[in-house]
Amino acid sequence: MFEQPIEARYIRFEPQTWKHAIALKFDLFSCEIVITTPRPELETSTPHASFADCRDQMGLENNEIRDHQISFSSIDGLFKSIRLGSETAWRPSISSRKEFVRVDLLEPRNISGIVTQ
């Protein structure tokens, strides 16, 4: 989990290190509820997402994020599933730092964390 959520429409993963070959499955966590709380040091109310409200999986594992929202730099044969719970994982055709997976969330969302496998 991140210290504070980040707002993003696109998420791009670029593996930097690996053992033998790149392989990746992941899901994203989001904050759907924004809570306004007073911040005494500012003497105003400041919207922020409560940590407890930021643990909703965004939909890679349960297919709420559709396949057309996911793009890959390359794919090694049938190894193209980035979804947790799948029997395979994404593997690029070569293992280099230029490989990536990009997810289009279709609109800006508050991302609060990432879980990988």
Side-chain angles (χ1 to χ4, degrees):
M1 301 302 285
F2 303 143
E3 273 188 38
Q4 293 191 4
I6 57 171
E7 184 177 14
R9 175 177 171 182
Y10 300 96
I11 299 294
R12 183 173 161 143
F13 289 89
E14 298 178 356
Q16 299 298 299
T17 62
W18 53 88
K19 187 175 182 177
H20 304 297
I22 296 172
L24 176 66
K25 292 192 269 188
F26 66 91
D27 206 345
L28 305 168
F29 290 94
S30 68
C31 293
E32 297 300 329
I33 301 170
V34 176
I35 300 170
T36 302
T37 58
R39 291 188 54 193
E41 67 274 14
L42 299 178
E43 296 184 14
T44 62
S45 293
T46 304
H48 78 283
S50 167
F51 185 74
D53 299 320
C54 294
R55 296 175 186 240
D56 298 324
Q57 282 184 277
M58 293 191 68
L60 285 165
E61 187 172 10
N62 66 13
N63 291 317
E64 286 183 29
I65 294 176
R66 302 288 182 206
D67 287 345
H68 73 273
Q69 293 174 250
I70 304 165
S71 58
F72 306 93
S73 55
S74 67
I75 299 169
D76 180 8
L78 299 175
F79 298 99
K80 64 179 184 178
S81 180
I82 62 166
R83 300 175 192 280
L84 294 178
S86 66
E87 293 187 19
T88 65
W90 167 67
R91 282 186 27 195
S93 57
I94 60 170
S95 290
S96 83
R97 289 186 172 181
K98 294 180 181 180
E99 300 300 315
F100 66 86
V101 174
R102 188 181 90 159
V103 179
D104 180 353
L105 302 173
L106 303 178
E107 63 184 5
R109 302 283 301 270
N110 292 317
I111 310 300
S112 59
I114 300 166
V115 60
T116 61
Q117 188 178 31

